[in-house]
Amino acid sequence: QKSLPGSALLVSIDSQADSMREMTRAFSINLKALGLLSLLVGMFLIYNTMTFLVMQRRRLIGSLRLLGVTRQQVFKLIIGEALLLAVIGTLLGIALGIALGQGLLYLISGTINAIYFRIDAASLMITPLQIGKGVLLGISATVLAVLPPALEATRLSAVKVLARSQLESGSRR
């Protein structure tokens, strides 16, 4: 170390490996946090969309209730529609996520190679467990976000659903 110039620093391999481990751990935590935030935003969008659809279909729901459709059947119709859209959206999201991940992996590995250290990982490694978690999260988050609008659709009686004054007094509250 005495023979090195004043601005040079001698670092052990162990300390360099520890710093790389910390950097990748921090990167992993950031990715998980952003993933959970995007899941929460997605649930909010699903909730708003289904609430809008239920409000838009109030007259239809009231007419169905007058024709003899039970509250449970209305609830099952709304949840069934949401489940169908959840399955389609989840499968499409997983496929697009894998394609996007592979493209971004190429760009990120190039940056790491240029700035930090040489890596050879240029292929995305996805396990069936990860895909299963994605399917489970996508479908369960959708169902959880749809429950309040579905329950709201079944709460009022058929006559009250068709009365516009009930909708206006409910929105004032």
Side-chain angles (χ1 to χ4, degrees):
Q1 192 167 6
K2 289 179 183 178
S3 63
L4 293 174
S7 62
L9 180 64
L10 189 61
V11 179
S12 71
I13 289 181
D14 291 337
S15 103
Q16 186 181 10
D18 286 344
S19 67
M20 289 303 150
R21 250 190 306 281
E22 284 298 314
M23 183 181 73
T24 56
R25 188 168 111 3
F27 188 64
S28 176
I29 289 171
N30 284 337
L31 285 176
K32 286 178 185 172
L34 287 173
L36 290 174
L37 180 64
S38 66
L39 181 68
L40 188 65
V41 168
M43 287 176 67
F44 181 70
L45 290 172
I46 292 166
Y47 167 78
N48 280 334
T49 302
M50 288 307 289
T51 301
F52 176 74
L53 288 175
V54 165
M55 295 305 288
Q56 200 175 31
R57 296 174 180 168
R58 259 178 105 80
R59 289 187 120 346
L60 176 64
I61 292 170
S63 298
L64 288 173
R65 294 277 293 123
L66 285 174
L67 291 172
V69 175
T70 66
R71 293 174 195 260
Q72 288 178 342
Q73 289 172 326
V74 169
F75 182 79
K76 287 179 183 177
L77 280 171
I78 293 170
I79 294 293
E81 177 185 16
L83 274 175
L84 177 67
L85 292 173
V87 169
I88 293 169
T90 299
L91 294 177
L92 189 62
I94 287 173
L96 290 174
I98 290 171
L100 182 64
Q102 183 64 46
L104 290 176
L105 179 66
Y106 174 74
L107 294 173
I108 290 172
S109 65
T111 302
I112 291 173
N113 281 336
I115 297 174
Y116 297 108
F117 54 89
R118 179 85 179 125
I119 58 171
D120 293 327
S123 65
L124 197 60
M125 294 180 290
I126 298 174
T127 64
L129 178 65
Q130 291 170 326
I131 292 176
K133 283 181 188 178
V135 169
L136 182 68
L137 274 174
I139 293 173
S140 60
T142 301
V143 170
L144 189 64
V146 169
L147 281 177
L151 291 172
E152 175 67 27
T154 62
R155 194 170 293 144
L156 296 174
S157 69
V159 175
K160 288 182 181 178
V161 167
L162 292 175
R164 176 111 177 126
S165 62
Q166 182 67 28
L167 174 62
E168 291 170 0
S169 67
S171 65
R172 268 188 244 129
R173 270 183 275 148

